[in-house]
């Protein structure tokens, strides 16, 4: 979602705005099911971080997907052409970072690289940073707003963990159902400030303990 919003890739935005699963929409609506969903997902996630076709093929095999190298290369090239705007966006970010050893994310946050680091390492790292740093900014701002809501509304709750794109709180049971809805709304509204052209989606639930879905 973040890459689609940042790169203004029209096809990617269209698939995120369509009803249903993003990867399934690509497979069925754009590729007539010629490339299955699981292959689309692995290929896209790897290509976004500048993996080449051989690395993508290796990742597909490691993921337990039975596919020939020819079909993997075909899927790689098809998705690369289909989402050329998004792919060019991360490639350019990588090139600039390798050249300057410095990049600014969409919010102006800086990331530096040592002159001794190899160009291909910097390029992949910059492509990752382009997306993940903005995700981190969204999450930190959400966490700050949730914390402020707890204080302002005297909620018996404490933020206990922050895992990738999840915020875990320990809340009095009588307040948990209502508070999980508040947290969800805060996270959606915060993400929407950054995404704008794509609807943000956040799931949340109450449980006795945290479990990674």
């Amino acid at each position: 979602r973040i890459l689609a919003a940042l790169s203004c890739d029209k096809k990617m935005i269209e698939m995120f705005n369509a009803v249903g699963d993003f990867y399934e929409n690509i497979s069925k609506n754009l590729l007539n099911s010629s490339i299955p969903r699981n292959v689309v997902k692995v290929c896209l996630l790897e290509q976004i971080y500048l993996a080449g076709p051989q690395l993508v093929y290796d990742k597909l095999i490691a993921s337990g997907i039975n596919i020939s190298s020819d079909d993997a290369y075909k899927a790689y090239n098809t998705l690369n052409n289909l989402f050329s705007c998004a792919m060019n966006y991360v490639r350019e970010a990588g090139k600039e970072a390798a050249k300057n050893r410095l990049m600014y994310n969409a919010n102006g946050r800086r990331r530096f690289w040592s002159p001794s680091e190899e160009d291909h390492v910097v390029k992949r790292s910059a492509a990752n940073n382009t997306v993940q740093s903005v995700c981190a900014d969204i999450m930190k701002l959400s966490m700050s707003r949730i914390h402020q809501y707890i204080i302002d509304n005297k909620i018996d709750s404490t933020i206990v963990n922050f895992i990738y794109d999840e915020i875990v709180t320990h809340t009095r049971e009588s307040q948990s159902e209502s508070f999980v809805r508040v947290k969800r709304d805060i996270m959606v509204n915060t993400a929407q400030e950054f995404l704008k052209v794509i609807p943000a989606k956040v799931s949340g639930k109450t449980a006795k303990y945290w479990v990674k879905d």
Side-chain angles (χ1 to χ4, degrees):
R1 289 176 189 272
I2 292 171
L3 178 59
L6 293 177
S7 66
C8 298
D9 189 299
K10 291 182 179 179
K11 283 192 174 68
M12 194 173 277
I13 291 170
E14 180 186 344
M15 290 300 97
F16 271 120
N17 284 327
V19 175
D21 176 75
F22 172 66
Y23 301 106
E24 191 69 30
N25 286 339
I26 293 171
S27 176
K28 288 184 176 179
N29 300 338
L30 295 182
L31 302 171
N32 296 318
S33 299
S34 61
I35 303 176
R37 180 195 181 279
N38 59 347
V39 175
V40 169
K41 182 176 181 179
V42 172
C43 281
L44 259 187
L45 290 177
E46 290 300 313
Q47 283 179 263
I48 285 169
Y49 300 131
L50 303 185
Q54 182 61 48
L55 188 56
V56 169
Y57 171 64
D58 293 341
K59 185 69 175 182
L60 287 165
I61 296 301
S63 301
I65 297 172
N66 185 19
I67 187 171
S68 69
S69 60
D70 286 346
D71 285 343
Y73 276 57
K74 181 182 176 182
Y76 177 95
N77 290 325
T78 299
L79 291 167
N80 185 63
N81 293 330
L82 189 61
F83 300 112
S84 59
C85 189
M87 298 308 171
N88 287 334
Y89 185 89
V90 290
R91 283 195 196 99
E92 286 304 312
K95 287 178 184 177
E96 286 298 309
K99 177 183 176 182
N100 301 317
R101 303 288 144 160
L102 165 70
M103 76 171 291
Y104 293 86
N105 79 352
N107 304 319
R109 187 144 62 91
R110 292 179 296 177
R111 165 75 193 272
F112 296 92
W113 286 269
S114 164
S116 63
E117 291 185 76
E118 295 183 27
D119 282 357
H120 72 93
V121 174
V122 175
K123 287 177 181 178
R124 288 206 71 187
S125 178
N128 181 287
N129 190 69
T130 298
V131 175
Q132 296 299 338
S133 65
V134 174
C135 178
D137 291 344
I138 292 170
M139 293 304 297
K140 286 185 284 187
L141 184 54
S142 296
M143 188 162 56
S144 174
R145 289 172 175 174
I146 289 169
H147 177 67
Q148 193 59 51
Y149 183 92
I150 290 172
I151 294 171
D152 292 345
N153 294 274
K154 297 180 173 56
I155 305 297
D156 189 1
S157 180
T158 303
I159 295 173
V160 295
N161 215 341
F162 174 15
I163 309 161
Y164 300 117
D165 56 357
E166 299 182 31
I167 298 174
V168 183
T169 55
H170 185 212
T171 308
R172 180 179 293 277
E173 189 170 359
S174 60
Q175 296 178 315
S176 347
E177 288 294 342
S178 58
F179 186 51
V180 76
R181 291 192 293 271
V182 170
K183 286 197 297 178
R184 192 161 48 225
D185 288 345
I186 289 173
M187 293 175 73
V188 166
N189 292 336
T190 301
Q192 213 63 71
E193 293 175 23
F194 293 79
L195 300 179
K196 302 185 188 303
V197 294
I198 299 172
K201 293 184 179 180
V202 175
S203 60
K205 63 183 181 182
T206 60
K208 294 295 184 183
Y209 50 85
W210 177 82
V211 176
K212 179 65 178 174
D213 291 330

